[in-house]
Amino acid sequence: MATSAAPEALAAFPNSAALDAALAKSAAGAAALFAGDDPYAPSPPVSSAIKAKIASKVEACSHVKSAPGAAPTGRATREERKAYVDGLAAALSGARPRKRAKAAAAAAAAEPAAEKPSHVVSYDATSGALVTTGGANPTAAATGAKAGGGKLVVPTRRPPPPVPQPTWHAPWKLAAVASGHLGWVRCVAFEPRNEWFVTGGADRTIKVWDLAKCGAGAEGGLKLTLTGHINAIRGLAVSPRTTYMFSAGEDKKVLCWDLETNKVVRHYHGHLSGVYCLGLHPTLDLLMTGGRDSCVRCWDIRTSKQVMMLGGHTSTIGAVECCATDPQVVTGSHDCTIRLWDLAAGKTRATLTHHKKAIRALCCAPFEDSFVSAAADNLKKWQRKDGSFLRNLQGHRAVLNACAVNADGVLASAGDDGSLRLWDYRTGYGFQDLRTVAQPGSLECEAGIYDCKFDKSGTRLITCEADKTIKIWKEDDGADPESHPVDMKSWTKECRRLTRY
């Protein structure tokens, strides 16, 4: 077993009488300890300077609780702290392994030869505490040290915060691949009953898929193809309260589809450029859309009229999320900011400027009042109520296009280079790093992921990719905490690492 290095000694006394003499002389001044020494010797340390240093440490740590089983500190009141500082400063200012005063030497000679305890005041670099070792300590009342030596609880640095314990999640694996699009697949949305899902791509079509058949890899997964856009489709949403589906594309169009007749029933005109994202309000008949015209437009679903326009961003809107409670709208933009909106007043509640790169994706947790933003620099977790920053999630080395979280606390993030990372949402522990593989006949650079979503049950993850395919991922049923344990060693190292973002 490796032993820790011995602390560096700052002061040594051959016996208790010498320590008493040093303390007595230090009261009259530090120079008196060196009476009769070599006149060319360096000047002794200034007692007041040492006292000021120790006093600052004691005042800073006066509210720090001692560790269980540690020696009493003697710092409960101002009088005890003053006595502690005076005693320790006096011992350190006069304790030098040089020539001693004649009185100290005479006192040492009078001590019995058999009993030669040594009192040493030293600094322990491991624990950050001052340590006294040796025989009976006459300064115990002032310093708080135990009789016979012990540690003085004077921490020079705070102990590291406790490492959060991640929740164990089963690893995920690729279950099936579905193909049908003739271009990049850009977006996906699920039906509320979890029976089918829709995807939109750069081939200007919307395709409806049977979730059960696609998940099992069976034939006949493609049910329907809808056409109506004249450019790439960038956003989809299925209403949980009506039979409508909404789509947005780079052709400036926002369309409302009636799923009973599979036809377009409403057009939402107003955007001046391509529409990159959309979101449905969970409790109101409102549709939010954002795009290259740097504004979020709020539409009444029933009348197709624009209710309000939320302006404030200075670049393309990359993501929009709607919630039932304030702030009801959260937007992320390519101007590297996130805005929380007061929907009733039509104004910004808070602007978050922590990101250094364009924000392309947002996702709100279904089980707590927080959300995650994804950009090219990293993932960031925020408190939704007031926009307070919670933590960074770093691991990707590419532009992040999508992120999603399920009810079990699994966060998925996907990048341009085909990387797919899975995290424990509550602690930020990355428990799996996956990489998609481009289909045969595709270029290696087409291994990018543009969107990802969990189904309504949270047991399947759908990724939309640049190789024109849709991949379905599932949990590994044969995994358990023993076969795939949480790597606490690397997680502790990650938590203790100081990183500038």
Side-chain angles (χ1 to χ4, degrees):
M1 181 183 295
T3 58
S4 59
E8 177 186 359
L10 302 178
F13 304 95
N15 49 49
S16 59
L19 181 59
D20 286 333
L23 292 175
K25 289 192 175 184
S26 65
L33 291 174
F34 293 86
D37 285 0
D38 187 357
Y40 299 101
S43 58
V46 182
S47 177
S48 60
I50 296 178
K51 184 183 296 187
K53 279 188 176 181
I54 299 174
S56 64
K57 293 292 183 183
V58 172
E59 288 296 333
C61 304
S62 60
H63 300 291
V64 178
K65 294 183 179 180
S66 303
T73 61
R75 296 179 284 111
T77 62
R78 179 176 291 274
E79 290 76 12
E80 290 179 352
R81 290 197 293 272
K82 184 177 183 302
Y84 167 75
V85 170
D86 293 342
L88 191 56
L92 292 178
S93 62
R96 293 284 180 179
R98 301 175 183 171
K99 297 179 181 180
R100 301 296 193 269
K102 294 181 180 180
E111 194 74 19
E115 187 178 354
K116 292 286 184 181
S118 178
H119 299 267
V120 178
V121 181
S122 57
Y123 173 74
D124 187 0
T126 303
S127 62
L130 294 175
V131 180
T132 60
T133 57
N137 192 348
T139 62
T143 62
K146 293 180 179 179
K151 286 189 177 181
L152 297 175
V153 186
V154 188
T156 58
R157 61 176 182 269
R158 291 188 176 183
V163 177
Q165 179 65 37
T167 303
W168 183 84
H169 299 284
W172 291 61
K173 62 181 181 180
L174 181 62
V177 179
S179 60
H181 279 281
L182 301 179
W184 294 347
V185 188
R186 300 305 301 255
C187 52
V188 61
F190 285 89
E191 186 257 341
R193 293 179 296 178
N194 212 36
E195 295 178 356
W196 49 267
F197 65 96
V198 292
T199 57
D203 57 357
R204 302 168 294 177
T205 63
I206 300 172
K207 293 185 181 293
V208 183
W209 307 82
D210 187 286
L211 182 58
K213 290 183 178 180
C214 290
E219 295 183 358
L222 180 59
K223 300 176 65 175
L224 187 65
T225 300
L226 302 175
T227 59
H229 285 274
I230 59 174
N231 210 330
I233 299 168
R234 299 295 296 268
L236 288 171
V238 181
S239 174
R241 301 188 299 157
T242 63
T243 60
Y244 295 149
M245 179 182 69
F246 303 90
S247 63
E250 296 179 1
D251 52 3
K252 311 178 190 178
K253 288 184 178 181
V254 180
L255 304 180
C256 175
W257 301 79
D258 188 346
L259 295 176
E260 292 182 346
T261 60
N262 299 327
K263 292 182 180 180
V264 177
V265 294
R266 292 186 184 92
H267 293 258
Y268 301 90
H269 296 286
H271 277 283
L272 305 178
S273 189
V275 187
Y276 282 9
C277 57
L278 60 81
L280 277 173
H281 196 284
T283 58
L284 304 176
D285 290 329
L286 295 177
L287 173 68
M288 312 293 172
T289 58
R292 290 184 60 189
D293 52 3
S294 307
C295 64
V296 179
R297 299 182 186 273
C298 178
W299 310 88
D300 187 338
I301 292 175
R302 300 161 296 182
T303 63
S304 68
K305 300 295 183 182
Q306 180 177 314
V307 176
M308 67 177 66
M309 188 269 289
L310 305 177
H313 286 290
T314 59
S315 187
T316 302
I317 308 294
V320 59
E321 283 288 323
C322 299
C323 305
T325 58
D326 288 331
Q328 299 181 47
V329 181
V330 182
T331 58
S333 172
H334 291 192
D335 61 5
C336 310
T337 64
I338 300 170
R339 287 180 180 263
L340 311 180
W341 299 90
D342 185 348
L343 193 58
K347 297 181 180 180
T348 303
R349 291 170 56 105
T351 303
L352 314 179
T353 60
H354 294 58
H355 276 288
K356 300 178 182 178
K357 300 292 183 179
I359 298 155
R360 298 171 181 263
L362 296 169
C363 66
C364 294
F367 47 83
E368 67 179 35
D369 194 23
S370 63
F371 70 95
V372 167
S373 59
D377 47 3
N378 50 32
L379 290 151
K380 294 183 185 294
K381 184 178 178 182
W382 313 83
Q383 193 72 31
R384 189 169 59 84
K385 182 178 180 181
D386 55 359
S388 58
F389 173 74
L390 297 179
R391 66 174 55 88
N392 279 297
L393 289 80
Q394 193 173 26
H396 284 279
R397 297 185 180 274
V399 176
L400 298 183
N401 293 320
C403 60
V405 61
N406 65 4
D408 294 332
V410 177
L411 172 66
S413 57
D416 257 348
D417 59 348
S419 59
L420 177 65
R421 287 185 66 91
L422 300 172
W423 317 76
D424 177 34
Y425 183 85
R426 293 175 176 86
T427 61
Y429 169 68
F431 65 90
Q432 193 174 11
D433 187 4
L434 300 170
R435 188 167 292 274
T436 186
V437 179
Q439 291 303 294
S442 302
L443 300 176
E444 186 179 356
C445 62
E446 290 184 323
I449 302 176
Y450 290 121
D451 196 9
C452 66
K453 290 276 176 40
F454 287 97
D455 68 349
K456 298 300 180 179
S457 65
T459 58
R460 284 168 289 200
L461 175 68
I462 308 291
T463 57
C464 304
E465 308 196 3
D467 60 356
K468 309 172 187 176
T469 64
I470 302 156
K471 293 186 174 66
I472 302 175
W473 308 77
K474 294 182 180 179
E475 288 185 344
D476 187 357
D477 296 333
D480 54 35
E482 294 182 358
S483 62
H484 295 79
V486 175
D487 189 358
M488 285 301 298
K489 184 177 180 180
S490 62
W491 173 234
T492 303
K493 185 178 179 181
E494 178 71 20
C495 291
R496 300 281 168 83
R497 184 180 65 180
L498 298 177
T499 306
R500 294 190 65 182
Y501 295 94

